[in-house]
Amino acid sequence: MATRTRKSSAERREEISTAVLHIIGRRGLTSLTMATLAAEIGVTSGALFRHFDSRDDILREVVRRAVARIDRTFPDESLPARQRLFTLARNRIRLLGPDPGLAWLLRSEQAYLTLPQDAVDELRDVARRSRRFLLKAIREGAAEGSIRTDIPPDVLLVPIIGTIHALIGMPGASQRVTGRQHRGTSRVLAALERMIMTRQSDES
């Protein structure tokens, strides 16, 4: 008979955090109870609290790990401005599209109303940093002539963020990405890029 290897506390914490996102993504936050979480990973409810002090501590860990994953989607700032902007867009869509639980954390107003305040502060911070990153890329692109200047950067930011969110929430985004869905995403981003380009950069 094969012996079962006991998982380390770090492995269990990661497993619990991943299970929280799976439950939220499939069934919504109201389905997240200690009983459903324990059942998701095959342990007792009491076993969860050998690794966390409380439900809020579990949610804090989920957010901490989520923010670390989101941080990895920021591209190198040495890239040209327009490339930097669309690399971030593609990275976010690839990360959040197939993971509705993670997308919920970043985009849902309910998250800001129900999570512990320090976790909410982390989410607000990554949202602010994302906005600053995109605005900086738009301004630099406008200065170098690759992004149009007839629309103020803060206004141009709205359709860019809106397109990213729309593509994350596309029907089927939470399923395995098909070739057709990938091509659809690429076409939409290409159209957005043409919309924000200057005529000069379009001709070059």
Side-chain angles (χ1 to χ4, degrees):
M1 178 184 296
T3 58
R4 295 179 61 185
T5 304
R6 180 184 291 274
K7 294 183 179 180
S8 69
S9 184
E11 289 172 324
R12 274 298 187 200
R13 287 170 70 90
E14 181 174 5
E15 183 179 37
I16 291 166
S17 299
T18 300
V20 168
L21 292 180
H22 286 170
I23 292 169
I24 291 172
R26 291 198 315 268
R27 290 177 276 170
L29 182 66
T30 54
S31 296
L32 179 63
T33 66
M34 294 303 96
T36 57
L37 180 54
E40 180 81 11
I41 59 178
V43 299
T44 64
S45 297
L48 299 173
F49 296 107
R50 287 202 289 267
H51 308 285
F52 294 97
D53 291 335
S54 65
R55 182 178 186 272
D56 278 355
D57 280 343
I58 293 173
L59 294 174
R60 289 186 183 98
E61 180 74 2
V62 171
V63 170
R64 186 188 68 79
R65 290 177 181 274
V67 168
R69 291 171 66 191
I70 293 164
D71 277 342
R72 291 194 287 272
T73 65
F74 286 100
D76 191 330
E77 292 210 42
S78 66
L79 292 173
R82 201 173 74 214
Q83 183 182 349
R84 198 161 71 234
L85 191 158
F86 281 93
T87 299
L88 177 63
R90 291 184 183 93
N91 288 349
R92 288 288 169 89
I93 293 162
R94 277 196 293 265
L95 175 67
L96 300 173
D99 194 334
L102 186 56
W104 178 87
L105 275 183
L106 194 62
R107 299 171 56 207
S108 171
E109 284 299 319
Q110 190 183 16
Y112 294 94
L113 296 173
T114 55
L115 293 172
Q117 186 58 50
D118 50 349
V120 170
D121 291 342
E122 282 197 71
L123 291 175
R124 291 192 190 281
D125 179 65
V126 78
R128 282 192 295 267
R129 287 188 286 114
S130 300
R131 179 183 172 86
R132 285 198 303 267
F133 186 95
L134 291 170
L135 270 174
K136 182 180 178 183
I138 294 169
R139 289 177 177 133
E140 290 181 3
E144 69 190 20
S146 64
I147 292 178
R148 61 193 300 170
T149 58
D150 59 324
I151 299 176
D154 58 327
V155 175
L156 201 54
L157 180 67
V158 174
I160 292 171
I161 291 179
T163 300
I164 295 170
H165 285 182
L167 288 171
I168 289 168
M170 276 176 58
S174 62
Q175 308 295 322
R176 186 175 178 179
V177 177
T178 66
R180 178 178 295 178
Q181 290 163 350
H182 177 74
R183 288 191 296 273
T185 297
S186 296
R187 284 197 297 269
V188 172
L189 288 177
L192 177 65
E193 188 165 13
R194 287 194 298 273
M195 287 170 57
I196 73 167
M197 286 166 61
T198 62
R199 184 165 299 180
Q200 177 182 355
S201 61
D202 196 12
E203 292 169 352
S204 60

